Amino acid sequence: MRDRVTPSLTLPRGAASLSSRWESINPKRAVVLAAVLSLLALTLAVPMRTYFSQQTEFDELRSSNAQLQSEVRDYEEKVAEQNDPAYIEAQARERLQFVMPGEKPLLMQYPVPPAKSDEERKAEKQAGNPWYTNLWNSVSAPEK
């Protein structure tokens, strides 16, 4: 009989060495390696979680600090403004209606609007209610 020649599959050098490595791995060593890697992953999981949570908290505190510094600047500006004599005079004129000597004060008095009747107040209250409240009131209570 004639020897049949079967075409051989040629693998690249790196692939051949890799396949030979997998064949020579001891199953006990693979289990030990997997256990060591799992233990390492579990050991690093908690510190990494703590690190990321502290980073998040640090970022929140940094933004809060920036906001507080902005408020401090605003309050410092208000204090500086309130020490200005022109501002004090303007506030006295506006709030307390003070006038300088020689000026003629003019006070505008507007007429007081007429008092609303009970029906008008009830209609305004009903208009301010949500639709379901008005519906419930119309169904639950008989009209007078």
Side-chain angles (χ1 to χ4, degrees):
M1 224 170 157
R2 236 175 165 196
D3 286 337
R4 290 175 70 171
V5 177
T6 57
S8 65
L9 205 48
T10 58
L11 296 173
R13 274 177 62 182
S17 67
L18 183 63
S19 66
S20 66
R21 283 186 187 176
W22 279 108
E23 291 172 0
S24 66
I25 291 181
N26 187 354
K28 290 181 183 178
R29 284 187 180 176
V31 169
V32 170
L33 179 65
V36 168
L37 289 176
S38 298
L39 183 64
L40 182 66
L42 291 175
T43 303
L44 292 176
V46 173
M48 291 302 290
R49 187 186 70 182
T50 304
Y51 171 77
F52 287 125
S53 67
Q54 286 177 349
Q55 268 314 106
T56 304
E57 184 179 358
F58 180 72
D59 292 339
E60 290 173 358
L61 289 174
R62 184 182 294 163
S63 67
S64 174
N65 191 17
Q67 181 183 5
L68 289 174
Q69 286 177 349
S70 172
E71 288 181 18
V72 166
R73 280 193 299 273
D74 290 343
Y75 287 131
E76 286 173 350
E77 288 175 7
K78 284 183 182 180
V79 167
E81 184 180 70
Q82 290 177 355
N83 288 334
D84 183 21
Y87 177 79
I88 294 171
E89 181 181 337
Q91 290 299 313
R93 286 177 179 269
E94 181 182 331
R95 291 182 183 179
L96 303 175
Q97 300 174 354
F98 283 4
V99 292
M100 296 298 286
E103 292 180 355
K104 293 184 179 178
L106 178 64
L107 182 62
M108 298 295 292
Q109 292 183 346
Y110 299 102
V112 177
K116 295 181 183 177
S117 67
D118 289 336
E119 294 172 358
E120 290 174 337
R121 277 190 242 122
K122 184 178 178 183
E124 282 182 3
K125 182 180 178 187
Q126 189 174 6
N129 288 339
W131 65 270
Y132 49 85
T133 303
N134 292 334
L135 178 66
W136 178 256
N137 290 338
S138 68
V139 172
S140 66
E143 294 205 23
K144 298 175 184 173

